Structures are given as C-alpha cells and as structure tokens.
C-alpha cells in the first residue's frame, strides 16, 4: 500500500521538525554548559582588532561610543577583522556562577550584547545595536537601553529568546573562557589587542597600530597617521581603565536577579 502525496508530505514535515528540535536541544544542553566561541576564518591580509570589555565600565562605553566607530571612516574597516568580547573583569567560579564587577545590571547587558553578536552576525548590525546600548550607558541612562530596538528598527524577540532560553548564559561562559585564555592575561578594561598584542594604556591609538600592522596598500584612514607613538603623546594620555580589583563585586548570579531585570526593563 503506497503513501498518498499529502501523507508523505506530512511525514517529511514531521521529520524536519523533529530534527530541528533535536538540534536546538543539543545546542542548549551541551555537557559543559559552555557555548564555544568560534570566529569565521579571517582574511589573513587583515589586521585583527579585538576589544575585551564590560558593559557598565565607563571607560569601555567611552571607547565604544567615541573612538571605536572610527573603524568605519575612510576605508579603515576594509583592513580590520573586529572581535568584540563582552565579559571584561567578571569572574566565574567552579559552579559556573558569574560575578560581574558592576553588579547584576552589568551581567544583564553583557548577556544582551553577547546575544546581539550571536543573533546578528553582520558587523554593521550588531555594532549599531551595541553602540546604541553603550551610548545610553555613556550618558548614565542605561535603564533606557531597550529603546534601541525601535530606534534601529530591530526585532526584540530574537534577543529575548537568546537571553531567556539559556543560550545567552552559555555564550557568556564562552566569552569568559576566551578572556581567561588571553596571553598575556588582561589587567583591566578596556583591553584592546592588535594581532593579539595588547596595546595597554595606548588603546586610544588603535588606529595607528592597525595602520602600522597592515602590510598591504593602506587606506585613506592611514594616510597622514602618526606612525610612531611619541613620548609626548603618551604623556598626555590619562590612564582611563577599570582594573580587575578596582571594585569588589558583592552579587553573585547564575542568571540576573528579578530586581536587575526590572531595573534594566528586560
């Protein structure tokens, strides 16, 4: 006895649904509870620029809002492979409990921005969202961050789903692993590296280091750049960073508390 066309179609549809659901469960219930952070194969000719940060660090938001957007000017982005790592000076214990330096609200936004990187892999899309959130942080209006969805015309549901179904927590554990494996270890945030070499307190001058590192024909953004960091320029810089031991976290969370969620309007 043969299957009717409609019966066969229903069978195939059911099989696809079962396979999809199984794949989703496998992602969210990995044995380690950690989402491995992997990056697409980078163009070997590009310069790797990485920012390790935490969302409520004022110096991180200042850098994100007022300095990092320069990568989109005069062709600089064409020679850069950008990596954003939203974890910073948080700590993790043996039970995978994350303690954020600036408290549970920071854990909320670290996870939200980790989800943005996952949900919107295109650089322009996730960068616009993260910059929008960090602009509110920079202006001490972080509780208004959700207005970024309407401002940018982005869907809110994918981020909510990532945050609430456990994937966001796994991503943060993955970013913790990436941060903890830095060599040399990071001392503070923002922590900026060019081709895996830390810039330390010269992170504001990332454009100069990127241009120096690029071996091809340099874009307009590199023309006229001061290729050497002079002692005078360095002495005029203020060390605007948040050290790991600068604040003593007092709230340990595995997922943000109800109070934090309410404060951050999540």
């Amino acid at each position: 006895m043969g299957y009717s066309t409609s019966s066969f179609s229903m069978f195939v549809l059911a099989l696809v649904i079962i396979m999809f659901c199984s794949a989703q469960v496998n992602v969210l219930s990995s044995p380690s509870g950690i989402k491995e952070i992997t990056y697409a194969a980078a163009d070997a000719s590009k310069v790797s620029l990485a920012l390790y940060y935490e969302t409520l660090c004022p110096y991180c938001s200042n850098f994100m809002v007022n300095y990092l957007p320069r990568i989109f000017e005069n062709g600089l982005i064409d020679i850069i492979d950008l990596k954003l790592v939203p974890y910073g000076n948080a700590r993790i214990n043996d039970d995978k409990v994350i303690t954020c330096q600036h408290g549970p609200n920071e854990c909320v936004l670290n996870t939200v921005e980790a989800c943005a990187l996952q949900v919107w892999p295109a650089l322009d899309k996730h960068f616009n969202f993260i910059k929008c959130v960090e602009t509110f942080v920079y202006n001490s209006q972080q509780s208004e961050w959700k207005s970024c969805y309407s401002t940018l015309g982005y869907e809110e549901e994918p981020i909510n789903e990532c945050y609430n179904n456990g994937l966001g927590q796994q991503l943060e554990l993955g970013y913790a692993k990436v941060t903890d494996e830095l060599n040399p270890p990071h001392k503070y945030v923002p922590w900026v590296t060019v081709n895996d070499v830390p810039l330390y307190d010269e992170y504001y001058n990332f454009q100069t280091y990127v241009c120096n590192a690029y071996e091809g024909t340099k874009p307009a953004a590199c023309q006229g750049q001061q290729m050497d960091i002079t002692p005078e320029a360095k002495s005029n810089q203020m060390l605007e960073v948040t050290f790991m031991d600068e604040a003593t976290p007092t709230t340990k969370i595995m997922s943000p508390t109800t109070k934090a969620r309410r404060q951050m309007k999540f």
Side-chain angles (χ1 to χ4, degrees):
M1 181 174 65
Y3 287 103
S4 67
T5 301
S6 59
S7 297
F8 181 74
S9 298
M10 291 297 293
F11 172 77
V12 171
L13 178 60
L15 182 61
V16 169
I17 292 174
I18 291 171
M19 292 175 64
F20 175 78
C21 291
S22 298
Q24 290 293 96
V25 171
N26 287 339
V27 169
L28 297 178
S29 58
S30 59
S32 65
I34 298 175
K35 178 69 174 175
E36 193 72 22
I37 302 299
T38 59
Y39 297 98
D43 185 337
S45 66
K46 290 188 175 184
V47 177
S48 172
L49 174 65
L51 169 62
Y52 299 82
Y53 71 104
E54 57 196 21
T55 51
L56 294 186
C57 160
Y59 307 119
C60 296
S61 61
N62 179 44
F63 181 72
M64 181 75 74
V65 172
N66 296 313
Y67 292 88
L68 193 56
R70 294 175 184 173
I71 64 175
F72 298 105
E73 299 174 2
N74 299 315
L76 190 61
I77 191 60
D78 295 334
I79 67 171
I80 286 177
D81 175 32
L82 179 67
K83 296 182 178 68
L84 300 176
V85 184
Y87 179 77
N89 294 335
R91 299 178 187 274
I92 180 172
N93 68 15
D94 293 338
D95 296 322
K96 299 184 177 65
V97 176
I98 296 176
T99 303
C100 292
Q101 187 168 32
H102 297 92
N105 288 345
E106 183 165 75
C107 282
V108 171
L109 288 183
N110 283 354
T111 306
V112 165
E113 294 189 11
C115 284
L117 291 164
Q118 176 77 10
V119 170
W120 301 309
L123 173 61
D124 58 342
K125 191 155 188 176
H126 67 240
F127 188 89
N128 284 340
F129 180 79
I130 291 173
K131 181 190 173 188
C132 180
V133 172
E134 292 303 316
T135 298
F136 281 111
V137 174
Y138 179 73
N139 292 320
S140 300
Q141 298 174 323
Q142 53 264 31
S143 63
E144 303 300 318
W145 70 271
K146 289 193 74 174
S147 64
C148 289
Y149 293 118
S150 58
T151 299
L152 298 171
Y154 288 7
E155 292 291 332
E156 181 177 349
E157 184 54 34
I159 300 297
N160 289 346
E161 182 177 356
C162 171
Y163 184 94
N164 291 318
N165 68 12
L167 177 57
Q169 175 71 6
Q170 290 186 30
L171 290 168
E172 272 302 283
L173 293 173
Y175 284 122
K177 184 173 183 290
V178 169
T179 303
D180 291 344
E181 290 177 350
L182 278 169
N183 185 22
H186 86 288
K187 297 180 178 180
Y188 43 71
V189 290
W191 187 258
V192 179
T193 66
V194 170
N195 286 344
D196 299 323
V197 177
L199 303 188
Y200 296 99
D201 57 329
E202 296 177 4
Y203 66 88
Y204 284 129
N205 295 317
F206 73 91
Q207 185 171 341
T208 295
Y209 286 93
V210 167
C211 290
N212 274 342
Y214 187 61
E215 297 179 352
T217 302
K218 300 185 189 299
C222 294
Q223 305 306 317
Q225 276 286 306
Q226 176 65 48
M227 292 297 106
D228 296 316
I229 305 299
T230 64
E232 291 78 14
K234 187 173 180 180
S235 66
N236 287 332
Q237 291 179 339
M238 294 180 63
L239 185 59
E240 295 185 338
V241 298
T242 300
F243 286 90
M244 291 190 67
D245 58 354
E246 188 166 318
T248 302
T250 58
T251 304
K252 295 183 178 181
I253 59 173
M254 185 171 293
S255 59
T257 62
T258 301
K259 178 180 179 182
R261 290 165 63 93
R262 183 168 61 249
Q263 288 175 337
M264 300 305 291
K265 297 186 178 180
F266 198 91

